[in-house]
Amino acid sequence: IYVQVDNGKAQLPDVAVTQDWAKEGSKIQAYYTGTDNYDISVSDPVSVSVVKHTAVVDVSDISGVAGQNITIKATVTSNGAPVPVGRVAIKIDGKTLKDANGKALYVSVAEIADGVKYTLPAKIKEGRHTLSVVFTDPTFDRATGSATLTVSKE
């Protein structure tokens, strides 16, 4: 990032923080390239202080039949506007859904807004279950939304 020097002072305006900057221990340092009249100068590194945003996750209640597909939908917003970054984990009764390889299933915010298809286990208990969607992104505080999943046996 280049900043104009005015009267011996360089001031960085508000900058959109990248995910790399939001990492714990990130630092920023200023380099002055000098002129014919002034020498090169380098500042001491300074820790980057990133204020995280707050998000809200809204999940829709759904019903499904054991062994059949359901579509899970959720929206992630901040100050009423859709959040375009981040990913979510989906949980049923506190247990994270797994992909075909047995690893935790994560999907993008865009994917969950459009709807994620999931096949309910054939042996899931009939009745009400807690469906949770957990949002994470380095520039946001973690947020969780919950709804009711009602399962029937055909």
Side-chain angles (χ1 to χ4, degrees):
I1 299 174
Y2 292 93
V3 179
Q4 183 68 34
V5 177
D6 262 337
N7 295 323
K9 192 184 263 187
Q11 185 170 341
L12 184 64
D14 287 342
V15 174
V17 174
T18 67
Q19 289 186 357
D20 290 337
W21 287 22
K23 291 179 183 168
E24 186 82 24
S26 293
K27 298 196 179 283
I28 192 167
Q29 194 168 16
Y31 293 85
Y32 177 66
T33 56
T35 67
D36 291 339
N37 297 324
Y38 299 99
D39 290 335
I40 295 171
S41 180
V42 179
S43 75
D44 290 332
V46 177
S47 295
V48 174
S49 176
V50 177
V51 177
K52 292 188 175 190
H53 300 281
T54 301
V56 174
V57 180
D58 288 313
V59 187
S60 303
D61 289 340
I62 55 175
S63 297
V65 176
Q68 294 188 7
N69 282 338
I70 58 171
T71 301
I72 302 166
K73 288 187 174 189
T75 57
V76 181
T77 58
S78 180
N79 295 321
V83 173
V85 297
R87 66 184 189 169
V88 299
I90 305 166
K91 298 181 178 196
I92 295 177
D93 294 333
K95 294 182 180 176
T96 303
L97 302 186
K98 308 284 187 200
D99 65 16
N101 299 317
K103 300 202 182 228
L105 175 67
Y106 291 99
V107 297
S108 72
V109 169
E111 288 173 298
I112 196 71
D114 288 341
V116 173
K117 290 200 183 306
Y118 175 72
T119 303
L120 289 170
K123 295 183 179 184
I124 191 170
K125 290 183 181 179
E126 188 173 10
R128 296 165 56 101
H129 298 268
T130 301
L131 174 68
S132 302
V133 175
V134 182
F135 167 74
T136 59
D137 181 83
T139 59
F140 283 83
D141 288 325
R142 178 181 161 140
T144 302
S146 295
T148 299
L149 165 63
T150 304
V151 177
S152 62
K153 301 279 185 187
E154 294 200 52

